[in-house]
Amino acid sequence: PLTLEEVRMLVELFYLPYHHGPLAQELLEHFRWLRANSLSVGVPATAPDACGGTRWRGRAQSFQLLCARTCRLHSRFVSTAGRALLYDLHPYLWDIRNMLLAASAFVLWLGCQSITAPILLGRDAEPWARRGGLFGELQALLPVGNSCDLFYHPPPLFPSSQLYLLRPLLPLDKLEHEGRSCSEVSQELQAQLSRAPALPGRLLGSFLSLSPEYTFVLEDEGGPCGYAAGALHAEGFLQQRDSSWLPAIRHKYPPDLGTGGPALGQDALEEAVLFFHAEPLAVPQPVLRRFPSLVQLGTAPRVLDVGASRSLALCLLSALRANGSRGVFCQVSDADRQQLSFYSKLG
């Protein structure tokens, strides 16, 4: 059963519409302070005001721990609560879990940046654009908080107790808890999301090489299970991809590689090689002017909870918006039913 401490946490999350319990109040205070003081993140350790960066990281760690506790509470509640209570309270708790996954990853991302300008936020939304309570206040603190269509999804019919971790994936970043480099994790992620040796480069290769600072990874108890990648300035990214990255990858995967035999997963391998050697479609200039950033998201088939996918989208879009993006687009083949379905479910 739930412990007394977990029941207290639950009560504090479901307090009063305009008066939050201590846990919810602490979450909001940390998030507000971290966002307002994000300029101190990039202060070098040798600078006179380096203590500001140290304090920021300390509060960021406290915020991460609170988010993790709340996500564990959601998992425990699904596993232990009676059915009637579960279906009454789960929609709100599920929303809070998803919001904190995105907020936690966004704060982690802020901690990896050398930010030299304040976070760029949209204008205040009309009151009807946000719901009340803790969810609405957390929504307002994310840079994409005014995009109300991102935040309204029906909860799953069958609640899942699966725990998720969402975080940025950056080069040279060491995962201290497992001692693995991010490149190793990205290889594992790509292997789980693909069916052949060449497909990982097709999924994420250009983003990891040219725009690693906007790459996020979703993990469950089985390991990496989803990703979100973006390029802030899509026009320059696409030019660099076509002029340098694609020639290198074509050299690595020559056209005759697909004839290597069934042991290599021949059908999928041939498909990937054809993809690399086909000329990419040009993006029309009106699209690039209106939507200057490129995004790509995906999850493994075992991720059935659309809330986790939504959190992936929220943290990526928040990171892009924080650095000034005013719109995004994605490229999907009209024959790729899986990706079309995935983006449609996200709204």
Side-chain angles (χ1 to χ4, degrees):
L2 293 174
T3 65
L4 181 60
E5 178 62 26
E6 287 168 332
V7 172
R8 183 179 290 115
M9 286 174 62
L10 195 62
V11 170
E12 289 175 4
L13 289 172
F14 289 83
Y15 218 61
L16 295 171
Y18 300 101
H19 183 202
H20 305 300
L23 170 67
Q25 195 62 44
E26 195 175 358
L27 279 166
L28 287 170
E29 286 172 2
H30 278 315
F31 199 10
R32 288 193 189 105
W33 188 91
L34 289 165
R35 201 189 71 163
N37 293 275
S38 60
L39 282 174
S40 64
V41 181
V43 175
T46 54
D49 55 348
C51 59
T54 304
R55 186 182 176 205
W56 193 96
R57 287 180 172 82
R59 289 197 69 161
Q61 187 174 17
S62 298
F63 180 71
Q64 303 292 332
L65 290 172
L66 283 174
C67 291
R69 283 176 59 200
T70 309
C71 291
R72 281 198 300 271
L73 172 64
H74 169 267
S75 178
R76 293 265 296 125
F77 183 72
V78 171
S79 301
T80 60
R83 296 295 96 179
L85 184 62
L86 172 62
Y87 282 95
D88 272 347
L89 301 187
H90 178 260
Y92 180 76
L93 191 57
W94 178 77
D95 267 339
I96 294 295
R97 190 279 310 256
N98 297 335
M99 183 67 75
L100 290 180
L101 276 175
S104 176
F106 179 66
V107 167
L108 270 174
W109 175 82
L110 282 177
C112 298
Q113 306 303 301
S114 296
I115 290 179
T116 56
I119 294 175
L120 296 174
L121 299 171
R123 296 182 297 274
D124 287 340
E126 295 294 332
W128 52 263
R130 289 197 289 264
R131 69 179 85 168
L134 176 61
F135 181 92
E137 294 203 40
L138 287 169
Q139 175 188 340
L141 291 172
L142 283 173
V144 289
N146 293 349
S147 306
C148 55
D149 54 325
L150 289 169
F151 297 90
Y152 293 92
H153 287 271
L157 287 175
F158 303 101
S160 166
S161 61
Q162 178 67 63
L163 276 171
Y164 291 100
L165 170 68
L166 180 54
R167 55 176 179 73
L169 177 69
L170 296 173
L172 306 180
D173 179 30
K174 252 337 192 187
L175 302 177
E176 296 176 2
H177 65 289
E178 291 179 300
R180 296 181 298 167
S181 69
C182 278
S183 61
E184 290 171 325
V185 175
S186 70
Q187 289 169 8
E188 181 184 338
L189 166 65
Q190 295 171 99
Q192 292 201 33
L193 295 178
S194 58
R195 304 184 304 277
L199 282 175
R202 176 179 171 178
L203 281 173
L204 277 173
S206 57
F207 290 99
L208 290 173
S209 297
L210 306 175
S211 184
E213 64 273 19
Y214 294 103
T215 306
F216 294 84
V217 61
L218 179 72
E219 289 184 302
D220 62 12
E221 292 163 1
C225 60
Y227 73 94
L232 182 63
H233 303 293
E235 187 170 12
F237 171 85
L238 294 173
Q239 288 173 355
Q240 201 173 353
R241 182 198 67 181
D242 297 345
S243 63
S244 61
W245 183 80
L246 262 181
I249 210 76
R250 285 167 178 168
H251 178 74
K252 184 176 181 180
Y253 299 112
D256 58 354
L257 183 65
T259 60
L264 291 175
Q266 189 176 11
D267 291 342
L269 188 58
E270 285 181 1
E271 179 192 344
V273 170
L274 285 173
F275 172 83
F276 289 136
H277 287 271
E279 282 304 315
L281 293 174
V283 180
Q285 279 298 318
V287 172
L288 290 170
R289 282 196 294 269
R290 186 176 178 189
F291 307 103
S293 302
L294 172 66
V295 297
Q296 181 174 300
L297 299 95
T299 56
R302 69 176 185 271
V303 180
L304 303 176
D305 188 343
V306 72
S309 304
R310 184 181 75 180
S311 298
L312 262 177
L314 283 177
C315 68
L316 173 60
L317 296 176
S318 292
L320 291 167
R321 180 73 189 101
N323 276 350
S325 176
R326 63 180 184 278
V328 303
F329 71 96
C330 57
Q331 292 178 296
V332 189
S333 165
D334 56 2
D336 193 339
R337 301 291 183 189
Q338 186 176 352
Q339 278 294 88
L340 288 170
S341 172
F342 175 78
Y343 287 122
S344 298
K345 286 177 182 174
L346 286 181

